[in-house]
Structure formats: C-alpha cells, structure tokens
Amino acid sequence: DQLRDILKQCADVRQTLLFSATMPSQLAEFVRVGLRDPQVIRLDAEMKVSPDLKLSFTMLRADEKIPALLYILREVVPD
C-alpha cells in the first residue's frame, strides 16, 4: 500500500532506475508494482540478504539529484 501511495505522487512520464545488490521481497514488490517493463540482472541469486540492509526511497526534482547523491556519498555511505 505504501508503494502505491508513493507511486501515485510520481509523474506518469518518468525514467526510473533501480540498482540493488540484493532483491528482498519488499524491493521485488516495488519492481513489480512501480516499474514498467523492468530489466532485472542478477549476479548471484543464491546470496543471502544482509540483516544490515537499509531500504529508502527519495523523490527529488531534477536539479536536486546531483546534490542529493553527493550528500549521500559524503555523509551516509560509510568509508
């Protein structure tokens, strides 16, 4: 239900890119509901999902994307 609520707020015409090292059930549901004609590439389907995995969604305007990525790389991703 939360995924549908998020997607209702997104523009109908959009490009959505999703990169993930894992495919937990919540993420698989998002792909099923939220992406059109998704292309899935799996490198190792047998790997277990880390219990430390954190999942988040961020809606940004085009001009906010690069500053947001830089912030995440500097402040959120551990060294």
PDB file of all heavy atoms in Angstrom, residues 35-48:
ATOM      1  N   LEU A  35       7.564  -0.337 -11.584  1.00  0.00           N
ATOM      2  CA  LEU A  35       8.378  -0.162 -12.785  1.00  0.00           C
ATOM      3  C   LEU A  35       7.669  -0.730 -14.002  1.00  0.00           C
ATOM      4  O   LEU A  35       6.986  -1.743 -13.913  1.00  0.00           O
ATOM      5  CB  LEU A  35       9.742  -0.840 -12.609  1.00  0.00           C
ATOM      6  CG  LEU A  35      10.573  -0.372 -11.418  1.00  0.00           C
ATOM      7  CD1 LEU A  35      11.907  -1.091 -11.397  1.00  0.00           C
ATOM      8  CD2 LEU A  35      10.783   1.128 -11.442  1.00  0.00           C
ATOM      9  N   ARG A  36       7.852  -0.072 -15.114  1.00  0.00           N
ATOM     10  CA  ARG A  36       7.262  -0.540 -16.371  1.00  0.00           C
ATOM     11  C   ARG A  36       8.324  -1.301 -17.144  1.00  0.00           C
ATOM     12  O   ARG A  36       9.402  -0.771 -17.395  1.00  0.00           O
ATOM     13  CB  ARG A  36       6.782   0.641 -17.205  1.00  0.00           C
ATOM     14  CG  ARG A  36       5.648   1.393 -16.548  1.00  0.00           C
ATOM     15  CD  ARG A  36       5.205   2.559 -17.420  1.00  0.00           C
ATOM     16  NE  ARG A  36       4.301   3.404 -16.671  1.00  0.00           N
ATOM     17  CZ  ARG A  36       4.587   4.617 -16.251  1.00  0.00           C
ATOM     18  NH1 ARG A  36       5.766   5.144 -16.501  1.00  0.00           N
ATOM     19  NH2 ARG A  36       3.703   5.316 -15.572  1.00  0.00           N
ATOM     20  N   ASP A  37       8.026  -2.514 -17.528  1.00  0.00           N
ATOM     21  CA  ASP A  37       8.937  -3.347 -18.314  1.00  0.00           C
ATOM     22  C   ASP A  37      10.345  -3.366 -17.705  1.00  0.00           C
ATOM     23  O   ASP A  37      11.326  -3.026 -18.366  1.00  0.00           O
ATOM     24  CB  ASP A  37       8.980  -2.854 -19.759  1.00  0.00           C
ATOM     25  CG  ASP A  37       9.720  -3.829 -20.663  1.00  0.00           C
ATOM     26  OD1 ASP A  37       9.732  -5.045 -20.368  1.00  0.00           O
ATOM     27  OD2 ASP A  37      10.300  -3.376 -21.669  1.00  0.00           O
ATOM     28  N   PRO A  38      10.466  -3.752 -16.437  1.00  0.00           N
ATOM     29  CA  PRO A  38      11.788  -3.721 -15.799  1.00  0.00           C
ATOM     30  C   PRO A  38      12.728  -4.770 -16.387  1.00  0.00           C
ATOM     31  O   PRO A  38      12.308  -5.849 -16.794  1.00  0.00           O
ATOM     32  CB  PRO A  38      11.476  -4.036 -14.339  1.00  0.00           C
ATOM     33  CG  PRO A  38      10.217  -4.826 -14.388  1.00  0.00           C
ATOM     34  CD  PRO A  38       9.439  -4.283 -15.562  1.00  0.00           C
ATOM     35  N   GLN A  39      13.980  -4.421 -16.435  1.00  0.00           N
ATOM     36  CA  GLN A  39      15.036  -5.341 -16.851  1.00  0.00           C
ATOM     37  C   GLN A  39      15.808  -5.696 -15.583  1.00  0.00           C
ATOM     38  O   GLN A  39      16.409  -4.837 -14.961  1.00  0.00           O
ATOM     39  CB  GLN A  39      15.963  -4.672 -17.865  1.00  0.00           C
ATOM     40  CG  GLN A  39      15.244  -4.150 -19.093  1.00  0.00           C
ATOM     41  CD  GLN A  39      14.577  -5.262 -19.883  1.00  0.00           C
ATOM     42  OE1 GLN A  39      15.199  -6.279 -20.168  1.00  0.00           O
ATOM     43  NE2 GLN A  39      13.310  -5.078 -20.204  1.00  0.00           N
ATOM     44  N   VAL A  40      15.781  -6.947 -15.206  1.00  0.00           N
ATOM     45  CA  VAL A  40      16.428  -7.388 -13.972  1.00  0.00           C
ATOM     46  C   VAL A  40      17.674  -8.184 -14.332  1.00  0.00           C
ATOM     47  O   VAL A  40      17.621  -9.107 -15.142  1.00  0.00           O
ATOM     48  CB  VAL A  40      15.468  -8.258 -13.122  1.00  0.00           C
ATOM     49  CG1 VAL A  40      16.174  -8.752 -11.870  1.00  0.00           C
ATOM     50  CG2 VAL A  40      14.217  -7.470 -12.773  1.00  0.00           C
ATOM     51  N   ILE A  41      18.779  -7.806 -13.733  1.00  0.00           N
ATOM     52  CA  ILE A  41      20.037  -8.527 -13.913  1.00  0.00           C
ATOM     53  C   ILE A  41      20.472  -9.006 -12.544  1.00  0.00           C
ATOM     54  O   ILE A  41      20.675  -8.206 -11.632  1.00  0.00           O
ATOM     55  CB  ILE A  41      21.118  -7.615 -14.531  1.00  0.00           C
ATOM     56  CG1 ILE A  41      20.652  -7.123 -15.900  1.00  0.00           C
ATOM     57  CG2 ILE A  41      22.445  -8.349 -14.624  1.00  0.00           C
ATOM     58  CD1 ILE A  41      21.511  -6.049 -16.489  1.00  0.00           C
ATOM     59  N   ARG A  42      20.603 -10.302 -12.401  1.00  0.00           N
ATOM     60  CA  ARG A  42      21.012 -10.873 -11.114  1.00  0.00           C
ATOM     61  C   ARG A  42      22.372 -11.518 -11.278  1.00  0.00           C
ATOM     62  O   ARG A  42      22.562 -12.343 -12.157  1.00  0.00           O
ATOM     63  CB  ARG A  42      19.986 -11.888 -10.653  1.00  0.00           C
ATOM     64  CG  ARG A  42      18.624 -11.218 -10.449  1.00  0.00           C
ATOM     65  CD  ARG A  42      17.700 -12.065  -9.722  1.00  0.00           C
ATOM     66  NE  ARG A  42      18.092 -12.080  -8.318  1.00  0.00           N
ATOM     67  CZ  ARG A  42      17.309 -12.532  -7.368  1.00  0.00           C
ATOM     68  NH1 ARG A  42      16.132 -12.991  -7.658  1.00  0.00           N
ATOM     69  NH2 ARG A  42      17.700 -12.530  -6.121  1.00  0.00           N
ATOM     70  N   LEU A  43      23.275 -11.138 -10.425  1.00  0.00           N
ATOM     71  CA  LEU A  43      24.616 -11.701 -10.494  1.00  0.00           C
ATOM     72  C   LEU A  43      24.732 -12.982  -9.677  1.00  0.00           C
ATOM     73  O   LEU A  43      25.435 -13.892 -10.051  1.00  0.00           O
ATOM     74  CB  LEU A  43      25.646 -10.678 -10.011  1.00  0.00           C
ATOM     75  CG  LEU A  43      25.687  -9.388 -10.829  1.00  0.00           C
ATOM     76  CD1 LEU A  43      26.701  -8.438 -10.239  1.00  0.00           C
ATOM     77  CD2 LEU A  43      26.001  -9.688 -12.282  1.00  0.00           C
ATOM     78  N   ASP A  44      24.057 -13.028  -8.549  1.00  0.00           N
ATOM     79  CA  ASP A  44      24.156 -14.199  -7.696  1.00  0.00           C
ATOM     80  C   ASP A  44      22.837 -14.368  -6.952  1.00  0.00           C
ATOM     81  O   ASP A  44      22.634 -13.776  -5.905  1.00  0.00           O
ATOM     82  CB  ASP A  44      25.307 -14.063  -6.711  1.00  0.00           C
ATOM     83  CG  ASP A  44      25.512 -15.338  -5.901  1.00  0.00           C
ATOM     84  OD1 ASP A  44      24.829 -16.347  -6.150  1.00  0.00           O
ATOM     85  OD2 ASP A  44      26.362 -15.313  -5.010  1.00  0.00           O
ATOM     86  N   ALA A  45      21.967 -15.168  -7.482  1.00  0.00           N
ATOM     87  CA  ALA A  45      20.645 -15.359  -6.891  1.00  0.00           C
ATOM     88  C   ALA A  45      20.694 -16.143  -5.587  1.00  0.00           C
ATOM     89  O   ALA A  45      19.730 -16.157  -4.839  1.00  0.00           O
ATOM     90  CB  ALA A  45      19.731 -16.071  -7.886  1.00  0.00           C
ATOM     91  N   GLU A  46      21.795 -16.763  -5.287  1.00  0.00           N
ATOM     92  CA  GLU A  46      21.890 -17.593  -4.090  1.00  0.00           C
ATOM     93  C   GLU A  46      22.356 -16.829  -2.853  1.00  0.00           C
ATOM     94  O   GLU A  46      22.319 -17.362  -1.758  1.00  0.00           O
ATOM     95  CB  GLU A  46      22.859 -18.763  -4.349  1.00  0.00           C
ATOM     96  CG  GLU A  46      22.416 -19.681  -5.480  1.00  0.00           C
ATOM     97  CD  GLU A  46      21.064 -20.328  -5.186  1.00  0.00           C
ATOM     98  OE1 GLU A  46      20.842 -20.754  -4.047  1.00  0.00           O
ATOM     99  OE2 GLU A  46      20.239 -20.383  -6.107  1.00  0.00           O
ATOM    100  N   MET A  47      22.791 -15.594  -3.011  1.00  0.00           N
ATOM    101  CA  MET A  47      23.306 -14.849  -1.854  1.00  0.00           C
ATOM    102  C   MET A  47      22.193 -14.501  -0.885  1.00  0.00           C
ATOM    103  O   MET A  47      21.077 -14.202  -1.281  1.00  0.00           O
ATOM    104  CB  MET A  47      24.010 -13.573  -2.308  1.00  0.00           C
ATOM    105  CG  MET A  47      25.328 -13.849  -3.000  1.00  0.00           C
ATOM    106  SD  MET A  47      26.301 -12.368  -3.138  1.00  0.00           S
ATOM    107  CE  MET A  47      26.849 -12.185  -1.465  1.00  0.00           C
ATOM    108  N   LYS A  48      22.499 -14.497   0.373  1.00  0.00           N
ATOM    109  CA  LYS A  48      21.555 -14.120   1.422  1.00  0.00           C
ATOM    110  C   LYS A  48      21.534 -12.600   1.570  1.00  0.00           C
ATOM    111  O   LYS A  48      22.515 -11.926   1.338  1.00  0.00           O
ATOM    112  CB  LYS A  48      21.982 -14.745   2.753  1.00  0.00           C
ATOM    113  CG  LYS A  48      22.082 -16.246   2.726  1.00  0.00           C
ATOM    114  CD  LYS A  48      20.870 -16.836   3.314  1.00  0.00           C
ATOM    115  CE  LYS A  48      21.053 -18.348   3.319  1.00  0.00           C
ATOM    116  NZ  LYS A  48      19.884 -19.062   3.369  1.00  0.00           N
TER     117      LYS A  48
END
